[in-house]
């Protein structure tokens, strides 16, 4: 481990939260502060020795009650790069299978001297429920169709790096908005930051009164994409749909798959984002996923830095008191 480490100095933090449940609870100042912190960690992640002692002595419990590749591995890496002890708790191999309730499981895990709990759960509201039940800070890593705050923060981090600013940008979010916690958390954070948002989907994949998130609504890709600085494509969340939202994947792809010809309508330098996992050929053409406009792997890289910043800020606030 490197000896001389320049992690941000602990001082009065312009960030005070007991839990991180959604971006709705964050002010513009807090989001910007968190993204600035993440820049320091991004730099650490580019070093040969990608490890700092900042969270030495902390115990983080990553509790995943739903499949995950990116979020789970990036929370684990974030904790390890900060020198915390990280336990990965997987629902599939747990006492939940023996009938234990979520509350009892979580209280058991919290009772092991845990300092932070990261939770992903298929039920909307599960993270808020655990935050209410537990003394330990809870970080929401995605709850049902509700919220995914660290994904929105890493998307913002990626956009800010790619385009140099956030306020005033025009961003189109396209796909299964109804079932997307990523879309909700992004729309809320972007409204706070003064990003102009548009959503685009068939009417059956748009939540009722979606305009309340401050976005403009479009049903045709060509209209939604005209003049935008960034396009965020979303996966069709088939595991959350009852079916019948559109006649066939083929028809959906015909109308809503982003192709290179769409990009000609966007602003020059427009970038393409996707939280993953991608269904190539359904929401995103192959060549775009791997093309020069794609920031999809940058999003993955940003995820580690942003989650390091989140863990760091919660440890700074709560760790020393336990
Ligand atoms: C998203 C999720 O799980 O909400 N993915 C992610 O966290 N990287 C989006 C999705 O599953 O489509």
């Amino acid at each position: 481990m490197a000896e001389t480490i320049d992690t941000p100095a602990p001082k009065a933090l312009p960030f005070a939260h007991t839990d991180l449940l959604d971006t709705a609870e964050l002010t513009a100042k807090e989001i910007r502060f968190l993204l600035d912190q993440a820049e320091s960690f991004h730099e650490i992640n580019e070093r040969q020795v990608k490890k700092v002692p900042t969270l030495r002595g902390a115990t983080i419990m990553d509790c995943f009650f739903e499949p995950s590749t990116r979020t789970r591995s990036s929370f684990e890496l974030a904790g390890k790069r900060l020198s915390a002890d990280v336990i990965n708790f997987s629902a599939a191999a747990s006492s939940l299978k023996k009938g234990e309730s979520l509350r009892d499981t979580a209280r058991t895990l919290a009772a092991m001297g845990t300092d932070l709990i990261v939770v992903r759960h298929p039920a909307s509201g599960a993270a808020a429920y655990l935050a209410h039940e537990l003394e330990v800070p809870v970080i929401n890593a995605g709850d049902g169709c509700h919220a995914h705050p660290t994904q929105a923060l890493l998307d913002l981090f990626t956009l800010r790096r790619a385009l140099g600013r956030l306020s005033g940008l025009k961003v189109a979010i396209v796909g299964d908005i109804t079932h997307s916690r990523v879309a909700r958390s992004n729309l809320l954070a972007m409204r706070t930051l003064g990003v102009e948002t548009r959503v685009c989907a068939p009417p059956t994949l748009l939540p009722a009164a979606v305009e309340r998130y401050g976005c403009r609504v479009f049903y045709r890709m060509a209209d939604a994409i005209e003049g935008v600085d960034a396009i965020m494509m979303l996966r069709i969340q088939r595991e959350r749909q009852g079916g019948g939202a559109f006649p066939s994947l083929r028809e959906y792809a015909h109308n809503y798959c982003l192709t290179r010809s769409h990009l000609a309508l966007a602003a020059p330098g427009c970038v393409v984002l996707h939280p993953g996992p991608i269904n190539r050929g359904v929401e995103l053409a192959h060549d775009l996923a791997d093309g020069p406009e794609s920031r999809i792997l940058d999003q993955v890289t940003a995820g580690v830095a942003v989650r390091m910043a989140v863990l760091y800020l919660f440890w700074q606030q709560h760790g020393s008191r336990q």
Side-chain angles (χ1 to χ4, degrees):
M1 191 182 301
E3 285 299 331
T4 51
I5 297 302
D6 45 328
T7 47
K11 49 184 179 237
L13 295 173
F15 185 95
H17 293 275
T18 46
D19 306 281
L20 180 61
L21 302 178
D22 197 1
T23 47
E25 64 212 31
L26 302 177
T27 64
K29 191 172 166 207
E30 287 173 330
I31 296 173
R32 285 198 208 96
F33 177 70
L34 200 145
L35 299 183
D36 291 344
Q37 298 290 302
E39 285 290 346
S40 314
F41 292 112
H42 191 272
E43 186 270 315
I44 288 166
N45 288 336
E46 285 177 334
R47 295 181 191 171
Q48 196 184 11
V49 179
K50 303 171 190 57
K51 193 150 179 163
V52 290
T54 318
L55 261 70
R56 196 155 53 193
T59 303
I60 301 174
M61 210 54 94
D62 289 339
C63 305
F64 279 71
F65 298 92
E66 202 190 73
S68 170
T69 305
R70 291 156 194 76
T71 308
R72 183 184 171 132
S73 37
S74 98
F75 263 113
E76 180 173 356
L77 263 183
K80 288 183 168 165
R81 288 189 180 168
L82 292 167
S83 303
D85 293 322
V86 182
I87 306 296
N88 278 305
F89 166 80
S90 163
S94 74
S95 292
L96 284 159
K97 292 276 169 224
K98 300 180 186 168
E100 188 173 57
S101 70
L102 173 62
R103 179 175 181 274
D104 285 339
T105 302
R107 280 163 61 92
T108 301
L109 296 172
M112 295 180 196
T114 300
D115 298 295
L116 283 167
I117 288 199
V118 175
V119 65
R120 164 165 291 196
H121 199 282
S124 299
Y129 170 71
L130 290 185
H132 180 260
E133 291 296 317
L134 306 175
E135 298 280 305
V136 178
V138 172
I139 294 164
N140 185 5
D143 64 324
C145 303
H146 173 232
H148 195 351
T150 58
Q151 178 69 42
L153 291 166
L154 77 86
D155 293 337
L156 292 167
F157 183 87
T158 307
L159 280 176
R160 195 174 77 163
R161 285 201 135 226
L163 301 169
R165 69 194 165 106
L166 288 170
S167 179
L169 287 182
K170 292 189 180 76
V171 178
I173 305 181
V174 183
D176 184 356
I177 313 286
T178 297
H179 302 94
S180 176
R181 51 199 177 201
V182 177
R184 268 195 77 271
S185 288
N186 263 300
L187 287 170
L188 290 166
M190 287 179 180
R191 184 175 62 184
T192 302
L193 293 168
V195 176
E196 188 185 313
T197 50
R198 305 173 180 187
V199 292
C200 180
T204 46
L205 290 179
L206 286 168
V210 65
E211 303 84 354
R212 69 188 186 278
Y213 295 114
C215 54
R216 288 171 66 199
V217 180
F218 294 85
Y219 303 106
R220 287 184 63 239
M221 288 280 270
D223 299 336
I225 284 169
E226 203 184 332
V228 294
D229 302 293
I231 307 168
M232 184 181 292
M233 298 305 297
L234 299 173
R235 186 174 65 89
I236 289 292
Q237 314 247 325
R238 271 180 282 182
E239 74 278 18
R240 300 194 200 290
Q241 291 173 8
F246 47 85
S248 68
L249 271 186
R250 210 176 129 107
E251 184 174 321
Y252 177 84
H254 178 73
N255 292 314
Y256 294 98
C257 183
L258 185 71
T259 62
R260 186 150 294 285
S261 61
H262 288 121
L263 282 189
L265 304 168
C270 174
V271 293
V272 175
L273 275 69
H274 192 304
I278 305 171
N279 287 313
R280 285 175 185 250
V282 177
E283 66 262 6
L284 196 56
H286 270 278
D287 62 325
L288 276 192
D290 307 318
E293 305 85 1
S294 168
R295 293 291 177 277
I296 297 171
L297 290 178
D298 292 346
Q299 288 172 273
V300 177
T301 307
V304 182
V306 164
R307 289 172 178 128
M308 285 170 84
V310 168
L311 297 176
Y312 165 73
L313 289 178
F314 277 87
W315 175 246
Q316 284 298 312
Q317 289 180 88
H318 305 282
S320 53
R321 283 200 260 121
Q322 296 182 20

